[in-house]
Amino acid sequence: MTIRHLAIIGLGLLGGSIGLAVTARGLAVTTAGWDRDPAVRQRAAERGLVGTVHETAEAAVQGADLVILCVPVGAMADAARAIAPGLAPHAIVSDVGSSKAAVAEALAEALPGATVIPAHPVAGTEQSGPDAGFATLFAGRWCIITPPDACDPAALEALSAFWTALGSRVELMDAAHHDLVLAVTSHIPHLIAYTIVGTASDLEDVTQSEVIKYSAGGFRDFTRIAASDPVMWRDVFLTNRGAVLEMLGRFTEDLTALQRAIRSGDGDTLFDLFTRTRAIRRAVIEQGQDDERPDFGRVNK
Ligand code: NAP
């Protein structure tokens, strides 16, 4: 099975980046798209995020071999219901949602009988909307595909080949395992960033201007993460509740252990942990998952 025509539902950061990457990489794939927001549709057409922008979801998916839902995870079921009347019988329906078990369930329920193969490109930024997308977003990044048990091998092969053609490295994973892994690598870090930035801005004996003025001391990197889209992240925590709470329990225990070490002046425990975490950072850079330049390659003005 070959993907010749792609429909993208939701033309923000992820949807726009997929459309731009298809064009930039010269794939033999035509693209169509729809977003529920007319202003986003207009901007998507101006930026050429997809070949044709349609007025309805039903029209956008006509004749598509692959439909990718690029909406917040809480909106996946609505988007799936909107495409149902226009879906070709052979079409593969996939998504880019950041949590997988809940999305798989919502899509299977909304599209009975359709070929649904959920996926999650582990690539993004804190920006959102139709101006945020860029063609190289997926280059060298992992795309985790979570096929259901009775997945059609030809459809899975076609979806894997599509993401590989966009420059991604593809990994297959069980949806529940994906949710546990991403809880620790992405969801909890976002929760910590939201917390620390919220705590700092609520402190009565530190003024707002001091928080901003001295933000270079580590806080600045948290503010970047804490600027991520509120709708997207609200939905991630609501749909990956079990795995997030499980990992949060582990995190809280480790934090308590550090608190104890600081209180009792146990420098060895602190030093050992900080040495181990430094090695993880080196591994992230060695595997090409971040910029090795100091300060994440930022140009300081
Ligand atoms: P985004 O830039 O906000 O784009 C989402 C677009 O979908 C918005 O234009 C939104 O319109 C539209 N939309 C919402 N509900 C819809 C519906 N029912 N039907 C049609 N369009 C609808 O968000 P994004 O960052 O691309 O995220 C999209 C998905 O990718 C999410 O599931 C997220 O978990 C996943 N993801 C994000 C990242 C990241 O770093 N951002 C990384 C990997 C995966 P409105 O503005 O009107 O709501």
Side-chain angles (χ1 to χ4, degrees), residues 253-275:
E253 282 171 25
D254 291 347
L255 196 60
T256 305
L258 276 188
Q259 199 176 7
R260 213 169 27 239
I262 293 168
R263 186 178 296 120
S264 64
D266 177 2
D268 289 348
T269 295
L270 300 177
F271 185 82
D272 288 349
L273 175 68
F274 302 164
T275 306

mmCIF file of all heavy atoms in Angstrom, residues 253-275:
data_model
loop_
_atom_site.group_PDB
_atom_site.id
_atom_site.type_symbol
_atom_site.label_atom_id
_atom_site.label_comp_id
_atom_site.label_asym_id
_atom_site.label_seq_id
_atom_site.Cartn_x
_atom_site.Cartn_y
_atom_site.Cartn_z
ATOM 1 N N GLU A 253 8.869 10.565 45.822
ATOM 2 C CA GLU A 253 9.738 9.818 46.746
ATOM 3 C C GLU A 253 11.191 10.249 46.578
ATOM 4 O O GLU A 253 11.922 10.448 47.553
ATOM 5 C CB GLU A 253 9.632 8.315 46.469
ATOM 6 C CG GLU A 253 8.382 7.683 47.038
ATOM 7 C CD GLU A 253 8.225 6.248 46.553
ATOM 8 O OE1 GLU A 253 9.249 5.606 46.201
ATOM 9 O OE2 GLU A 253 7.082 5.769 46.518
ATOM 10 N N ASP A 254 11.625 10.378 45.306
ATOM 11 C CA ASP A 254 13.019 10.769 45.053
ATOM 12 C C ASP A 254 13.286 12.196 45.551
ATOM 13 O O ASP A 254 14.360 12.496 46.074
ATOM 14 C CB ASP A 254 13.340 10.662 43.553
ATOM 15 C CG ASP A 254 13.362 9.204 43.095
ATOM 16 O OD1 ASP A 254 13.377 8.314 43.971
ATOM 17 O OD2 ASP A 254 13.336 8.955 41.877
ATOM 18 N N LEU A 255 12.276 13.061 45.391
ATOM 19 C CA LEU A 255 12.423 14.447 45.848
ATOM 20 C C LEU A 255 12.543 14.485 47.378
ATOM 21 O O LEU A 255 13.355 15.243 47.930
ATOM 22 C CB LEU A 255 11.202 15.258 45.392
ATOM 23 C CG LEU A 255 11.315 16.768 45.441
ATOM 24 C CD1 LEU A 255 12.441 17.281 44.557
ATOM 25 C CD2 LEU A 255 9.995 17.409 44.981
ATOM 26 N N THR A 256 11.768 13.638 48.033
ATOM 27 C CA THR A 256 11.828 13.579 49.500
ATOM 28 C C THR A 256 13.209 13.095 49.951
ATOM 29 O O THR A 256 13.769 13.597 50.932
ATOM 30 C CB THR A 256 10.719 12.639 50.031
ATOM 31 O OG1 THR A 256 9.481 13.095 49.506
ATOM 32 C CG2 THR A 256 10.648 12.631 51.544
ATOM 33 N N ALA A 257 13.769 12.128 49.204
ATOM 34 C CA ALA A 257 15.102 11.620 49.552
ATOM 35 C C ALA A 257 16.149 12.736 49.420
ATOM 36 O O ALA A 257 17.055 12.871 50.252
ATOM 37 C CB ALA A 257 15.462 10.435 48.661
ATOM 38 N N LEU A 258 15.999 13.564 48.367
ATOM 39 C CA LEU A 258 16.933 14.686 48.178
ATOM 40 C C LEU A 258 16.775 15.719 49.288
ATOM 41 O O LEU A 258 17.753 16.282 49.783
ATOM 42 C CB LEU A 258 16.672 15.370 46.837
ATOM 43 C CG LEU A 258 17.315 14.777 45.596
ATOM 44 C CD1 LEU A 258 17.103 15.706 44.415
ATOM 45 C CD2 LEU A 258 18.812 14.553 45.805
ATOM 46 N N GLN A 259 15.529 15.942 49.673
ATOM 47 C CA GLN A 259 15.218 16.896 50.752
ATOM 48 C C GLN A 259 15.937 16.438 52.032
ATOM 49 O O GLN A 259 16.560 17.241 52.732
ATOM 50 C CB GLN A 259 13.703 16.880 50.969
ATOM 51 C CG GLN A 259 13.136 18.051 51.684
ATOM 52 C CD GLN A 259 11.592 17.932 51.745
ATOM 53 O OE1 GLN A 259 11.012 16.918 51.355
ATOM 54 N NE2 GLN A 259 10.954 18.956 52.226
ATOM 55 N N ARG A 260 15.875 15.104 52.273
ATOM 56 C CA ARG A 260 16.512 14.532 53.462
ATOM 57 C C ARG A 260 18.029 14.717 53.393
ATOM 58 O O ARG A 260 18.688 15.066 54.361
ATOM 59 C CB ARG A 260 16.164 13.040 53.537
ATOM 60 C CG ARG A 260 16.037 12.529 54.953
ATOM 61 C CD ARG A 260 15.435 11.138 55.041
ATOM 62 N NE ARG A 260 15.630 10.285 53.886
ATOM 63 C CZ ARG A 260 14.650 9.747 53.165
ATOM 64 N NH1 ARG A 260 13.394 9.976 53.484
ATOM 65 N NH2 ARG A 260 14.914 8.964 52.144
ATOM 66 N N ALA A 261 18.577 14.478 52.180
ATOM 67 C CA ALA A 261 20.032 14.604 52.006
ATOM 68 C C ALA A 261 20.487 16.042 52.263
ATOM 69 O O ALA A 261 21.519 16.279 52.895
ATOM 70 C CB ALA A 261 20.427 14.158 50.601
ATOM 71 N N ILE A 262 19.728 16.990 51.777
ATOM 72 C CA ILE A 262 20.085 18.407 51.977
ATOM 73 C C ILE A 262 20.003 18.752 53.463
ATOM 74 O O ILE A 262 20.914 19.351 54.039
ATOM 75 C CB ILE A 262 19.166 19.332 51.138
ATOM 76 C CG1 ILE A 262 19.441 19.131 49.646
ATOM 77 C CG2 ILE A 262 19.367 20.802 51.522
ATOM 78 C CD1 ILE A 262 18.428 19.768 48.714
ATOM 79 N N ARG A 263 18.898 18.318 54.100
ATOM 80 C CA ARG A 263 18.703 18.643 55.523
ATOM 81 C C ARG A 263 19.820 18.044 56.382
ATOM 82 O O ARG A 263 20.328 18.679 57.288
ATOM 83 C CB ARG A 263 17.343 18.130 56.007
ATOM 84 C CG ARG A 263 17.050 18.589 57.432
ATOM 85 C CD ARG A 263 15.681 18.145 57.939
ATOM 86 N NE ARG A 263 14.580 18.734 57.172
ATOM 87 C CZ ARG A 263 13.681 18.019 56.495
ATOM 88 N NH1 ARG A 263 13.733 16.711 56.493
ATOM 89 N NH2 ARG A 263 12.725 18.619 55.845
ATOM 90 N N SER A 264 20.240 16.801 56.050
ATOM 91 C CA SER A 264 21.236 16.131 56.900
ATOM 92 C C SER A 264 22.668 16.400 56.438
ATOM 93 O O SER A 264 23.616 15.805 56.942
ATOM 94 C CB SER A 264 20.959 14.624 56.929
ATOM 95 O OG SER A 264 21.125 14.110 55.623
ATOM 96 N N GLY A 265 22.828 17.266 55.421
ATOM 97 C CA GLY A 265 24.169 17.609 54.955
ATOM 98 C C GLY A 265 24.875 16.438 54.269
ATOM 99 O O GLY A 265 26.101 16.332 54.294
ATOM 100 N N ASP A 266 24.095 15.555 53.618
ATOM 101 C CA ASP A 266 24.645 14.359 52.966
ATOM 102 C C ASP A 266 25.104 14.722 51.537
ATOM 103 O O ASP A 266 24.403 14.462 50.551
ATOM 104 C CB ASP A 266 23.546 13.283 52.962
ATOM 105 C CG ASP A 266 23.976 12.025 52.238
ATOM 106 O OD1 ASP A 266 25.131 11.961 51.773
ATOM 107 O OD2 ASP A 266 23.145 11.109 52.131
ATOM 108 N N GLY A 267 26.298 15.302 51.447
ATOM 109 C CA GLY A 267 26.827 15.751 50.155
ATOM 110 C C GLY A 267 27.084 14.614 49.186
ATOM 111 O O GLY A 267 26.959 14.790 47.977
ATOM 112 N N ASP A 268 27.447 13.431 49.693
ATOM 113 C CA ASP A 268 27.745 12.297 48.807
ATOM 114 C C ASP A 268 26.527 11.924 47.967
ATOM 115 O O ASP A 268 26.635 11.665 46.761
ATOM 116 C CB ASP A 268 28.183 11.072 49.628
ATOM 117 C CG ASP A 268 29.579 11.281 50.223
ATOM 118 O OD1 ASP A 268 30.252 12.251 49.790
ATOM 119 O OD2 ASP A 268 29.963 10.499 51.108
ATOM 120 N N THR A 269 25.365 11.898 48.617
ATOM 121 C CA THR A 269 24.132 11.540 47.885
ATOM 122 C C THR A 269 23.872 12.560 46.780
ATOM 123 O O THR A 269 23.556 12.197 45.643
ATOM 124 C CB THR A 269 22.934 11.490 48.872
ATOM 125 O OG1 THR A 269 23.171 10.427 49.786
ATOM 126 C CG2 THR A 269 21.617 11.275 48.160
ATOM 127 N N LEU A 270 24.020 13.831 47.109
ATOM 128 C CA LEU A 270 23.790 14.873 46.102
ATOM 129 C C LEU A 270 24.795 14.749 44.962
ATOM 130 O O LEU A 270 24.432 14.754 43.784
ATOM 131 C CB LEU A 270 23.907 16.266 46.745
ATOM 132 C CG LEU A 270 22.926 16.579 47.876
ATOM 133 C CD1 LEU A 270 23.213 17.964 48.449
ATOM 134 C CD2 LEU A 270 21.488 16.518 47.373
ATOM 135 N N PHE A 271 26.073 14.567 45.319
ATOM 136 C CA PHE A 271 27.124 14.497 44.308
ATOM 137 C C PHE A 271 26.912 13.286 43.383
ATOM 138 O O PHE A 271 27.039 13.395 42.161
ATOM 139 C CB PHE A 271 28.500 14.417 44.986
ATOM 140 C CG PHE A 271 29.633 14.456 44.012
ATOM 141 C CD1 PHE A 271 30.096 15.659 43.493
ATOM 142 C CD2 PHE A 271 30.240 13.269 43.593
ATOM 143 C CE1 PHE A 271 31.134 15.684 42.568
ATOM 144 C CE2 PHE A 271 31.283 13.296 42.670
ATOM 145 C CZ PHE A 271 31.727 14.514 42.159
ATOM 146 N N ASP A 272 26.582 12.137 43.969
ATOM 147 C CA ASP A 272 26.376 10.923 43.158
ATOM 148 C C ASP A 272 25.236 11.114 42.165
ATOM 149 O O ASP A 272 25.353 10.763 40.989
ATOM 150 C CB ASP A 272 26.064 9.716 44.064
ATOM 151 C CG ASP A 272 27.306 9.267 44.822
ATOM 152 O OD1 ASP A 272 28.402 9.755 44.486
ATOM 153 O OD2 ASP A 272 27.161 8.451 45.756
ATOM 154 N N LEU A 273 24.134 11.691 42.640
ATOM 155 C CA LEU A 273 22.987 11.892 41.739
ATOM 156 C C LEU A 273 23.357 12.866 40.623
ATOM 157 O O LEU A 273 23.109 12.598 39.445
ATOM 158 C CB LEU A 273 21.774 12.431 42.505
ATOM 159 C CG LEU A 273 20.593 12.777 41.593
ATOM 160 C CD1 LEU A 273 19.989 11.516 40.970
ATOM 161 C CD2 LEU A 273 19.516 13.564 42.315
ATOM 162 N N PHE A 274 23.981 13.973 40.975
ATOM 163 C CA PHE A 274 24.303 14.988 39.969
ATOM 164 C C PHE A 274 25.314 14.452 38.948
ATOM 165 O O PHE A 274 25.329 14.875 37.799
ATOM 166 C CB PHE A 274 24.828 16.276 40.632
ATOM 167 C CG PHE A 274 23.863 16.905 41.619
ATOM 168 C CD1 PHE A 274 24.309 17.859 42.530
ATOM 169 C CD2 PHE A 274 22.530 16.540 41.652
ATOM 170 C CE1 PHE A 274 23.428 18.444 43.446
ATOM 171 C CE2 PHE A 274 21.640 17.113 42.566
ATOM 172 C CZ PHE A 274 22.093 18.062 43.467
ATOM 173 N N THR A 275 26.154 13.508 39.365
ATOM 174 C CA THR A 275 27.110 12.890 38.432
ATOM 175 C C THR A 275 26.365 11.979 37.451
ATOM 176 O O THR A 275 26.623 11.994 36.242
ATOM 177 C CB THR A 275 28.167 12.078 39.211
ATOM 178 O OG1 THR A 275 28.747 12.951 40.186
ATOM 179 C CG2 THR A 275 29.258 11.546 38.296
#
